[in-house]
Amino acid sequence: MGRHILHVDQNSFYASIEMQRHPELRDKPLAVCGSQEERHGIVLTANYIAKPYGVKTGMAIWQARQHCPHLVTLPPDMAEYIRFSNMAREIYEDYTDQIEPFGLDESWLDVTGSVGLYGNPMHIAREISRRIKFELGITASIGVSDNKITAKLGSDYRKPDAITRIERDNYREIVYPLPVEDLLYVGPTTSRKLRAAGIHTIGRLAECPTETLVRKLGKMGRVLQTFALGLDPSPVQKTDHIRTIKSVGNSATPPRNLENQEDVKLMLLLLAESVSSRMRELASKCTVVELYVRDSTLNSISRQQKLDAPTCSSHEIAQAAYGLFALNYRWQNPIRSIGVRGSGLVDASAGVQTSLYDDNSKRDKWERIDAAVDRLRQRYGYHSVRRARMYADPLLGGINPRDDHTVHPVGYFGG
């Protein structure tokens, strides 16, 4: 027996909640935006009245206002959005315990075991859609399929407030003509590579020789072709499933652009302190350091480096991140935002291959210093202990990336 998978996507989630809270704004173009004062001034989501004007997620507020001068903007209220997300989950739990969130506003549901009780998947989708509208006052688009990737294509196919079934009998008809960017995990870089190879639609991706895709994209080429064929065996995780944390990251948009190497070194050290502190809380060390940089023109690069040995030393993480930066950034523009991530986490107590040199001894000393700083900050506050370098620039050095870190829907590290 095949699986029955739903993907529920709550339409313009943040904006829909704000329209419900502010009925007087329901007929106006509205966007929920980050703080301009803190330089997070981008559109997080826009309602369906604003979108025809060209207002898009990720657009700077000033750009959005050029497209729509009478745009109403509101700050995000994450606590309220989380509350709505939890209420939607309570609805899903009436039909299945196999629920996998994909952000606050999207979830996959495996209802294979529920059809005997609640009817066919389309009936269940209609029930969930009706209840979200009636109980939460917002709408959702739902995709119905036999796998996660295709179910998400279904929820994206028609919006707002629609249900789309895509299964074997109508898969080619609906999916093959869609642009290749509609497929989950085809980002801007992958899209450029595919289009340069003449692959513009999901159907062309599905029919392309596998060897060509592997040559262009590496092993991801084979994975994307599998998805394009509508084949995704990955399970929907159960409600009680706890994801293994594989990485810890922190990013920041500083109060001014970074203009030289010293600015970058300072910010990387601040971010590395935050990342290493979180790893110690998880009793973990990282084996890979990742760097993300976005310049003042919003062009970005990301790079990563495998470490010789696992570490949770802020000094070592910052050094690795700066090495990646020095090797890959050419200073054509100032830097608007920067991020550091430790990935490939392993248990901190796991044994490592010893070295004939004193690297392990130095690493151990730096990690013990970091742990002592953690304890002092927990007791006396973050700014009770600071590196001397932070006083070279009070504006940048005064940032607290650990406590002031804000989660936005558009992340620095995807996937």
Side-chain angles (χ1 to χ4, degrees):
M1 183 182 71
R3 296 188 299 165
H4 301 298
I5 310 296
L6 310 184
H7 183 267
V8 184
D9 183 355
Q10 296 168 70
N11 305 135
S12 297
F13 185 52
Y14 298 176
S16 295
I17 293 170
E18 295 300 342
M19 287 191 297
Q20 190 203 65
R21 299 168 75 188
H22 304 280
E24 71 279 8
L25 301 179
R26 286 181 178 174
D27 297 326
K28 301 181 184 297
L30 180 146
V32 177
C33 304
S35 167
Q36 288 179 285
E37 291 73 21
E38 296 178 10
R39 288 166 49 87
H40 299 301
I42 63 170
V43 174
L44 303 180
T45 191
N47 67 4
Y48 282 93
I49 301 174
K51 288 180 180 180
Y53 289 94
V55 179
K56 298 178 181 178
T57 298
M59 180 179 282
I61 295 176
W62 65 267
Q63 291 175 312
R65 291 196 185 281
Q66 283 187 335
H67 287 276
C68 182
H70 51 296
L71 181 70
V72 177
T73 61
L74 293 175
D77 184 347
M78 295 306 295
E80 184 69 2
Y81 307 153
I82 291 170
R83 186 175 76 88
F84 267 76
S85 181
N86 289 336
M87 289 192 293
R89 188 183 180 90
E90 290 177 4
I91 293 174
Y92 308 153
E93 287 174 345
D94 285 344
Y95 301 91
T96 180
D97 65 345
Q98 291 180 269
I99 304 164
E100 182 178 344
F102 190 58
L104 286 179
D105 56 337
E106 300 182 42
S107 292
W108 281 288
L109 286 63
D110 188 332
V111 297
T112 307
S114 307
V115 294
L117 286 173
Y118 301 106
N120 65 53
M122 286 294 290
H123 178 75
I124 295 174
R126 285 190 287 268
E127 275 288 298
I128 290 173
S129 174
R130 181 190 61 78
R131 290 187 60 186
I132 287 175
K133 195 181 303 181
F134 179 76
E135 297 176 27
L136 306 187
I138 60 179
T139 63
S141 291
I142 303 178
V144 180
S145 188
D146 59 1
N147 67 82
K148 290 162 60 177
I149 295 291
T150 309
K152 176 154 175 58
L153 281 171
S155 67
D156 290 338
Y157 188 69
R158 286 189 297 150
K159 291 185 176 183
D161 194 19
I163 299 172
T164 303
R165 182 187 68 85
I166 305 178
E167 295 183 299
R168 292 298 102 192
D169 61 328
N170 63 352
Y171 183 84
R172 285 175 174 253
E173 176 188 348
I174 293 178
V175 175
Y176 272 27
L178 296 176
V180 72
E181 293 83 6
D182 284 4
L183 193 64
L184 190 61
Y185 304 124
V186 175
T189 301
T190 302
S191 169
R192 283 195 295 272
K193 291 179 180 178
L194 290 172
R195 287 187 173 270
I199 300 170
H200 301 275
T201 65
I202 294 177
R204 183 71 186 95
L205 176 60
E207 295 170 347
C208 183
T210 305
E211 297 75 16
T212 301
L213 293 173
V214 172
R215 189 167 62 249
K216 296 284 184 184
L217 304 174
K219 63 181 181 181
M220 195 62 186
R222 194 184 303 273
V223 173
L224 290 177
Q225 184 174 54
T226 301
F227 292 164
L229 290 166
L231 305 173
D232 172 26
S234 62
V236 174
Q237 306 291 1
K238 288 190 176 182
T239 299
D240 58 357
H241 175 79
I242 300 174
R243 289 180 180 269
T244 301
I245 297 175
K246 297 180 180 179
S247 64
V248 177
N250 210 155
S251 53
T253 301
R256 66 169 176 82
N257 286 343
L258 309 182
E259 298 177 341
N260 54 52
Q261 308 287 92
E262 292 305 311
D263 287 351
V264 172
K265 286 180 180 177
L266 189 154
M267 283 303 302
L268 291 177
L269 198 49
L270 272 172
L271 295 170
E273 284 187 342
S274 172
V275 169
S276 66
S277 175
R278 285 189 168 98
M279 281 194 280
R280 283 187 291 279
E281 289 180 358
L282 297 169
S284 299
K285 296 184 179 185
C286 68
T287 58
V288 176
V289 170
E290 301 176 28
L291 170 75
Y292 175 92
V293 178
R294 176 180 289 174
D295 69 18
S296 57
T297 66
L298 302 185
N299 288 318
S300 61
I301 63 168
S302 58
R303 298 289 186 271
Q304 65 179 32
Q305 174 189 329
K306 187 169 177 60
L307 302 174
D308 293 332
T311 187
C312 62
S313 158
S314 60
H315 173 76
E316 197 167 4
I317 292 169
Q319 277 193 325
Y322 182 73
L324 288 168
F325 176 85
L327 192 63
N328 293 282
Y329 196 73
R330 297 292 171 260
W331 283 113
Q332 293 176 326
N333 297 294
I335 294 168
R336 176 179 171 83
S337 56
I338 193 164
V340 174
R341 181 175 292 275
S343 59
L345 298 190
V346 296
D347 192 326
S349 62
V352 297
Q353 178 67 46
T354 57
S355 169
L356 295 175
Y357 306 98
D358 63 350
D359 293 353
N360 292 330
S361 174
K362 287 181 180 178
R363 182 178 298 111
D364 181 61
K365 288 178 181 177
W366 278 113
E367 289 176 356
R368 284 191 281 117
I369 289 171
D370 281 342
V373 170
D374 285 347
R375 291 192 292 272
L376 289 170
R377 285 177 169 171
Q378 287 168 4
R379 186 167 183 179
Y380 299 110
Y382 180 83
H383 291 296
S384 61
V385 183
R386 300 168 68 192
R387 295 175 188 258
R389 179 185 289 274
M390 303 307 161
Y391 292 94
D393 188 320
L395 186 62
L396 296 181
I399 295 172
N400 177 353
R402 174 66 195 253
D403 298 332
D404 296 340
H405 180 56
T406 303
V407 177
H408 292 292
V410 181
Y412 289 98
F413 298 92

